[in-house]
């Protein structure tokens, strides 16, 4: 049996356990039988093949829709957001839009087939860029995650502050819990006190975790997560240590991208070298002559890919990230091209030169140094010019 068939059969075997809980919805637990019923209801309305936009706000409905499209041999578009303008823009390239599970009869799904899932990433210039991924690759990555981190997780449900239509949320919030038999909460939220039992797993982002520390006082009397997963950018060391004091399994940061999937992980616990990244067991990294990371992974096209992230490689295989070589940075989990923003500023008729950098602090932000031909004298005029340049 080839790798694709093995991955899909593994999912089908999991779905046969219809009595096991899959999701925790507003009205209680939803089991595997409810999932198959919902998937079967949608599958009866889909023709064979086709390209389908999945814009389901509910992650349980999303999972059912993904199974239905797979059984029908279709293709999935996962829009970067569910705004009407975004869905309208994608509509010409699709056969239909799925926003929920229709009422009606349900039929057996039949064998699952390989599916292409098209995600969107912000791209180096901020515009949405389509990134196709194979369903089997996502299922294989889930197996790696369970083998590596499963023992750290408790028996509580999976809570998430990240959307399920992005690859991180799709993997950690939906597919991994399904395959491991851990129910996921359909509501978006990261409050461990909302979990009905056990120590929950929290899937979150650096921006949320950093802000939460300033809004919520962690204390011994409250319920805490068994482990916190964080991806989308590096978590400041101080924030990682603060969360780590209250989370038994620590804060597991995951380094990767939509294009590559997971690459490496770390837990910053204060020990020497804990800021270094450890490659996933089935991938390897090396440093190219200019310091760029060269990834070897079974989940990238051709098995290898160069990334524009600079690294310092340790003899033991761990590495430190040294920054983007192409000056593309992440702010609030969004990719931003500094050269493109500098060019946009220079296009303003009053600007002679501009330079951008990242300002590290409680919140990561961009700072700009701008040379103008004629600086306004009045403070109000200077503020107005600064506001104009921010908008450009």
């Amino acid at each position: 049996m080839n790798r694709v068939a093995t991955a899909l059969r593994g999912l089908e075997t999991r779905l046969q356990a219809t009595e096991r809980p899959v999701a925790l919805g507003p009205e209680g637990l939803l089991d595997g039988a409810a999932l198959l019923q919902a998937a079967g209801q949608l599958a009866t309305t889909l023709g064979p093949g086709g390209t389908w936009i999945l814009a389901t706000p509910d992650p349980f409905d999303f999972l059912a829709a993904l199974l239905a499209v797979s059984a029908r041999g279709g293709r999935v578009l996962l829009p970067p957001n569910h705004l009407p303008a975004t869905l309208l823009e994608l509509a010409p390239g699709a056969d239909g839009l799925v926003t929920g599970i229709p009422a009606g009869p349900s039929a057996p799904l039949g064998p699952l087939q390989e599916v292409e899932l098209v995600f969107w990433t912000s791209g180096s210039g901020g515009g949405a860029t389509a990134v196709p991924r194979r369903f089997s690759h996502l299922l294989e990555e889930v197996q790696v995650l369970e083998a590596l981190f499963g023992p750290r997780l408790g028996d509580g449900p999976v809570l998430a502050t990240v959307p399920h239509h992005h690859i991180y949320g799709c993997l950690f919030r939906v597919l991994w819990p399904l395959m491991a038999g851990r129910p996921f909460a359909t509501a978006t939220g990261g409050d461990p006190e909302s979990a009905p039992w056990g120590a929950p797993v929290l899937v979150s982002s650096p921006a949320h975790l950093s802000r939460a520390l300033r809004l919520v006082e962690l204390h011994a009397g409250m319920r805490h997560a068994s482990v916190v997963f964080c991806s989308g950018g590096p978590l400041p060391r101080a924030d990682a240590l603060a969360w780590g004091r209250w989370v038994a399994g620590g804060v597991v940061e995951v380094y990767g991208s939509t294009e590559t999937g997971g690459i490496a992980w770390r837990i910053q616990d204060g020990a020497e070298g804990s800021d270094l990244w450890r490659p996933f067991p089935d991938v390897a990294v090396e440093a190219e002559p200019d310091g760029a990371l060269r990834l070897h992974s079974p989940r990238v096209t051709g098995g290898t890919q160069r990334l524009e992230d600079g690294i310092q490689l340790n003899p033991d295989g761990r590495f430190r990230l040294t920054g983007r070589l192409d000056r593309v940075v992440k702010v609030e989990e969004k990719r931003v091209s500094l050269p493109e923003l500098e060019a946009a500023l220079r296009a303003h008729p009053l600007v002679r030169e501009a330079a951008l950098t990242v300002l590290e602090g409680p919140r990561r932000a961009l700072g700009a140094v701008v040379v103008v031909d004629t600086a306004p004298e009045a403070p109000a005029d200077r503020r107005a010019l600064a506001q104009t340049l921010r908008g450009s």
Side-chain angles (χ1 to χ4, degrees), residues 86-105:
T86 301
L87 302 181
L88 186 62
E89 184 179 354
L90 296 179
D95 294 282
L97 171 68
V98 179
T99 58
I101 304 301

Side-chain angles (χ1 to χ4, degrees), residues 124-125 326-329 336-349 351-358 366-371 389 392:
S124 62
D326 57 4
R327 298 187 69 219
V328 173
V329 299
V336 179
S337 170
L338 299 187
E340 289 191 18
L341 290 183
E342 290 167 348
L345 287 172
R346 294 189 195 103
H348 192 279
V351 175
R352 184 189 311 164
E353 189 55 71
L356 283 160
T357 189
V358 175
L366 293 180
V369 178
V370 180
V371 179
L389 295 179
S392 64

Side-chain angles (χ1 to χ4, degrees), residues 26-91:
E27 299 179 358
L29 286 172
L30 297 164
D31 59 16
L35 176 64
L36 289 177
Q37 180 180 351
Q41 287 173 211
L42 178 60
T44 60
T45 69
L46 304 179
T51 296
W52 303 94
I53 303 172
L54 300 193
T56 54
D58 187 296
F60 181 82
D61 289 350
F62 161 75
L63 180 56
L66 177 57
L67 295 175
V69 175
S70 172
R72 300 297 283 163
R75 180 169 174 260
V76 171
L77 301 184
L78 295 173
N81 56 65
H82 295 166
L83 296 175
T86 301
L87 302 181
L88 186 62
E89 184 179 354
L90 296 179

Side-chain angles (χ1 to χ4, degrees), residues 25-272:
E27 299 179 358
L29 286 172
L30 297 164
D31 59 16
L35 176 64
L36 289 177
Q37 180 180 351
Q41 287 173 211
L42 178 60
T44 60
T45 69
L46 304 179
T51 296
W52 303 94
I53 303 172
L54 300 193
T56 54
D58 187 296
F60 181 82
D61 289 350
F62 161 75
L63 180 56
L66 177 57
L67 295 175
V69 175
S70 172
R72 300 297 283 163
R75 180 169 174 260
V76 171
L77 301 184
L78 295 173
N81 56 65
H82 295 166
L83 296 175
T86 301
L87 302 181
L88 186 62
E89 184 179 354
L90 296 179
D95 294 282
L97 171 68
V98 179
T99 58
I101 304 301
S106 179
L109 275 183
L112 298 179
Q113 303 178 50
E114 178 72 295
V115 175
E116 181 181 75
L117 290 84
V118 180
F119 296 90
W120 266 262
T121 181
S122 57
S124 62
T129 302
V131 180
R133 298 297 309 274
R134 308 304 300 175
F135 193 22
S136 60
H137 286 174
L138 302 187
L139 296 176
E140 288 176 353
E141 183 165 348
V142 162
Q143 294 175 345
V144 174
L145 294 174
E146 177 63 17
L148 190 57
F149 303 120
R152 294 177 178 269
L153 278 57
D155 60 355
V158 177
L159 310 181
T161 68
V162 297
H164 56 272
H165 54 269
H166 294 169
I167 193 167
Y168 173 45
C170 181
L171 285 166
F172 282 72
R173 181 178 181 176
V174 178
L175 291 180
W176 182 14
L178 172 68
M179 294 294 287
R182 300 183 188 94
F184 59 84
T186 59
T188 299
D191 180 10
E193 296 283 359
S194 67
W197 75 87
V201 176
L202 176 58
V203 179
S204 194
S205 66
H208 178 90
L209 294 179
S210 295
R211 287 197 178 104
L213 286 172
R214 292 156 182 81
L215 297 174
V216 178
E217 182 180 355
L218 299 175
H219 55 84
M222 70 181 293
R223 178 181 293 171
H224 298 288
S226 61
V227 64
V228 173
F229 290 96
C230 179
S231 190
L235 182 65
R237 179 177 181 274
D239 294 342
L241 295 179
W243 275 97
R245 286 192 289 269
W246 297 102
V247 177
V251 179
V252 180
E253 295 178 71
V254 178
Y255 164 60
S257 70
T258 307
E259 296 87 347
T260 64
I263 297 173
W265 64 280
R266 70 179 182 182
I267 299 177
Q268 298 187 81
D269 58 8
E272 184 178 357

